[in-house]
Amino acid sequence: MEWKAAVKIEDPIRSTPFTDHFPLSDLLDGEKSSLGFMELLGIQNLTPSIFDAMFQVSTPSIESLCPSQASKVAESTEVLNQPTTPNSSSISSASNEEQSRVVEEEEEHPKTQKQLKAKKVSQKRGEREPRFAFMTKSEVDQLEDGYRWRKYGQKAVKNSPFPRSYYRCTNSTCNVKKRVERCMGDPSIVVTTYEGKHTHPSPNSATGPGLSADRASAAAFAQRVQVAMPLHHDQPQLINNLRFQKPTYADYGLLQDIVPSLVKKED
DNA sequence: CGGGTTTGACCGGCGC
DNA sequence: GCGCCGGTCAAACCCG
């Protein structure tokens, strides 16, 4: 049996969609080390449920990658893994474009100066925006993901020489945030955590409004980011000196909902 | 001058 | 209540 990934990529920069097929084993041999996780899986649209699913799938191995970071990521995963509503986070709903719970939650509170209240609302316990974390091996902290970000804070991370930076999407109608910090265990690894879902197309997208913001983001990442997003904990593989894991059969049920193009091939 | 960054103050949650 | 901590605000600053 062999796993094959059918990767359909709409590249926001070249705006030339293409499809590629390759056996996962090739990747696991490390030949295509620059491929990103989402590209590998053919993920083009980061819906909240995909956020959730990838978090669930990836979290166990983060510890093996970067133990010092694991606890924190696990924290947010904990929040994430709990369905906020009975029907909102089932993975099989990934195809549903209207993943509403992200956006609607912060429904039009008139944005008074006193948005401290709005903040409070958005941070109501257990109602945090979906988060999605990348661990990437990169020299630069700011990864090009197709969106423009404005830094709004920086804090020292306890027990770490590296600070954590806080960014907000510059689009005023969009409340996506991200945090960037270096793994204190391995300074060459950057941990980027996204929170929320873009409500607008990527400003770098050459294909206009037809290309969803999430897809543009995913494609941009897939193109240039060396992603370490482990899928499972046993039998890790290495890509770019980071662990990577071929999906197990048990994972397939989960992954096929996220990635319909992941097909199994017999020899 | 407009937009982004820096940085100390501030806030709310949480544990003791 | 108090102190710690993660997260955010916002004035000052920087820069093209």
Side-chain angles (χ1 to χ4, degrees):
Chain A
M1 166 202 319
E2 181 185 44
W3 291 87
K4 284 219 172 192
V7 178
K8 263 190 286 185
I9 302 163
E10 289 192 352
D11 186 332
I13 292 152
R14 295 181 306 199
S15 68
T16 53
F18 60 94
T19 304
D20 194 12
H21 294 262
F22 49 86
L24 288 177
S25 54
D26 286 358
L27 292 167
L28 298 175
D29 289 337
E31 282 299 314
K32 303 193 176 184
S33 59
S34 65
L35 280 177
F37 179 72
M38 288 186 290
E39 179 176 6
L40 170 65
L41 293 181
I43 294 174
Q44 300 166 15
N45 198 357
L46 278 178
T47 66
S49 57
I50 291 182
F51 274 42
D52 288 31
M54 291 181 81
F55 242 132
Q56 291 178 17
V57 171
S58 66
T59 302
S61 300
I62 286 181
E63 185 157 26
S64 67
L65 266 172
C66 187
S68 51
Q69 228 72 32
S71 57
K72 277 182 234 139
V73 176
E75 263 176 37
S76 32
T77 306
E78 225 174 82
V79 176
L80 236 124
N81 284 348
Q82 314 192 349
T84 52
T85 66
N87 59 356
S88 67
S89 73
S90 108
I91 289 155
S92 58
S93 71
S95 57
N96 179 4
E97 290 293 325
E98 303 318 315
Q99 295 292 326
S100 46
R101 74 186 157 101
V102 193
V103 191
E104 72 189 25
E105 148 205 322
E106 192 120 8
E107 111 265 347
E108 284 338 311
H109 248 288
K111 277 194 178 155
T112 64
Q113 337 283 72
K114 314 300 176 196
Q115 46 191 187
L116 298 185
K117 309 220 164 148
K119 176 176 75 178
K120 192 173 181 181
V121 169
S122 77
Q123 289 189 339
K124 238 188 306 176
R125 249 176 327 136
E127 285 193 40
R128 186 165 294 178
E129 302 258 357
R131 287 188 184 175
F132 180 69
F134 284 93
M135 300 185 70
T136 71
K137 197 151 190 159
S138 169
E139 315 209 343
V140 295
D141 290 349
Q142 267 281 36
L143 302 168
E144 181 53 61
D145 59 5
Y147 290 91
R148 296 179 59 225
W149 303 90
R150 181 177 62 254
K151 188 174 184 175
Y152 68 89
Q154 173 170 312
K155 290 288 284 186
V157 179
K158 71 175 193 298
N159 301 327
S160 170
F162 310 103
R164 172 186 303 136
S165 297
Y166 298 88
Y167 298 88
R168 228 192 297 271
C169 183
T170 56
N171 187 313
S172 57
T173 69
C174 182
N175 64 341
V176 175
K177 286 176 275 192
K178 74 172 177 179
R179 302 195 303 249
V180 176
E181 63 187 289
R182 291 208 168 261
C183 175
M184 68 186 86
D186 183 348
S188 68
I189 295 180
V190 173
V191 180
T192 306
T193 305
Y194 287 84
E195 183 173 329
K197 183 185 178 189
H198 291 286
T199 61
H200 58 97
S202 161
N204 287 2
S205 168
T207 54
L211 185 61
S212 80
D214 290 331
R215 178 179 299 179
S217 178
F221 258 114
Q223 184 184 26
R224 45 183 73 182
V225 174
Q226 299 178 2
V227 181
M229 184 55 77
L231 290 178
H232 219 268
H233 21 303
D234 50 305
Q235 202 183 6
Q237 308 283 334
L238 287 178
I239 287 183
N240 295 333
N241 302 320
L242 297 172
R243 294 174 192 283
F244 203 90
Q245 172 70 39
K246 154 160 64 174
T248 65
Y249 195 79
D251 288 326
Y252 180 64
L254 174 66
L255 290 174
Q256 69 179 350
D257 289 331
I258 315 172
V259 192
S261 57
L262 185 63
V263 295
K264 191 183 70 166
K265 265 231 153 159
E266 307 279 349
D267 278 337

